């Protein structure tokens, strides 16, 4: 195996591990991880600005590696700090995590995997579609309820989408985060707070998410249409 192929395999392995390990840990030890986060952030709430920093750090970690759904920290932020400050802290962590994932992928993974992405005709077509649509494509991805936050951040870093378009499109994740924060603020009972008076917002966001998923699917089918016709 030559050096280039070795780097490609290594980069691919790291990417898969970054996606798979947090998912496996969250599935095998969900109660343990939630208990630790809940205890840590509850303790941090008593330390003022230091507690804010702890919550932002926790949300950044979750948004970067996906060890838990980012919504858990959003609910905790609302429960601990209320809708205003809780949303500000959760937003800071979410955007920092999104930026960290993109920076890691763009600076380290993409140089090793760029040839693989551009060499595949379908992947290259998807890349062109995302670049052409820019922030709108990123926004549809962020709104889709079936696409996990951290893995899609790494996947987008492998495309040639502009960093500015990525940043603007990622803002589409904030309305859903705000509902999570409101849920925590309404319940005031920790990470697993009840939805309380915010339940009516969930169907609206779900409808928007489904519409975004359908729109993204249509754009993908349009981008890949020529290849389907060629195979018939």
């Amino acid at each position: 195996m030559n050096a280039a192929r070795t780097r490609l395999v290594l980069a691919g392995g790291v990417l898969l591990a970054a996606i798979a390990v947090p998912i496996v840990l969250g599935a095998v030890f969900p109660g343990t991880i939630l208990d630790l986060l809940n205890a840590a952030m509850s303790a941090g709430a008593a330390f003022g600005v230091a507690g804010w920093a702890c919550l932002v750090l926790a949300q950044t970690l979750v948004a970067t590696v996906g060890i838990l759904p980012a919504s858990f920290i959003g609910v905790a932020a609302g429960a601990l700090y209320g809708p205003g400050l809780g949303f500000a802290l959760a937003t800071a962590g979410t955007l920092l995590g999104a930026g960290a994932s993109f920076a890691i992928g763009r600076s380290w993974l993409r140089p090793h995997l760029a040839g693989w992405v551009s060499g595949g005709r379908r992947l290259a077509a998807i890349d062109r579609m995302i670049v052409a649509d820019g922030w709108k494509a990123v926004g549809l991805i962020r709104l889709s309820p079936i696409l996990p936050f951290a893995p899609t951040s790494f996947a987008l870093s492998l495309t040639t989408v502009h960093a500015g378009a990525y940043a603007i499109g990622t803002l589409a994740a904030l309305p859903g985060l705000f509902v999570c924060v409101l849920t925590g603020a309404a319940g005031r009972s920790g990470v697993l707070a009840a939805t309380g008076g915010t339940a009516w917002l969930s169907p609206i966001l779900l409808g928007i998410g489904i519409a975004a998923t359908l729109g993204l699917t249509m754009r993908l089918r349009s981008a890949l249409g020529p290849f389907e016709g060629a195979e018939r």
Side-chain angles (χ1 to χ4, degrees), residues 156-173:
L156 286 166
S157 75
L158 300 180
T159 71
T160 54
V161 69
H162 191 274
Y166 170 83
I168 294 172
T170 294
L171 296 178

Side-chain angles (χ1 to χ4, degrees), residues 2 13 17 31 39 52 83 115 140 195 208:
N2 58 39
W52 302 356
L140 290 176
T195 56
I208 295 173

Side-chain angles (χ1 to χ4, degrees), residues 183-207:
T183 297
R188 289 287 179 175
S189 58
V191 173
L192 299 178
T195 56
T198 65
W200 63 274
L201 289 171
S202 297
I204 296 176
L205 280 179
L206 180 61

Side-chain angles (χ1 to χ4, degrees), residues 11 32 37 41 46 112 163 190 230:
T32 301
L37 284 173
M41 288 184 296
H112 301 296

Side-chain angles (χ1 to χ4, degrees), residues 60 63-64 92-103 142 149 153-154 166 170:
T60 301
T64 301
T94 297
L95 296 181
L96 286 171
S101 298
F102 190 80
R142 294 308 194 193
F149 192 87
S153 297
F154 281 108
Y166 170 83
T170 294

Side-chain angles (χ1 to χ4, degrees), residues 33-78:
I33 293 172
L34 284 174
D35 290 342
L36 289 173
L37 284 173
N38 198 19
M41 288 184 296
S42 296
F47 294 99
V49 175
W52 302 356
C54 288
L55 190 139
V56 171
L57 181 61
Q59 181 73 337
T60 301
L61 178 64
V62 166
T64 301
V65 301
I67 194 169
L68 285 173
S71 58
F72 282 114
I73 311 298
V75 172

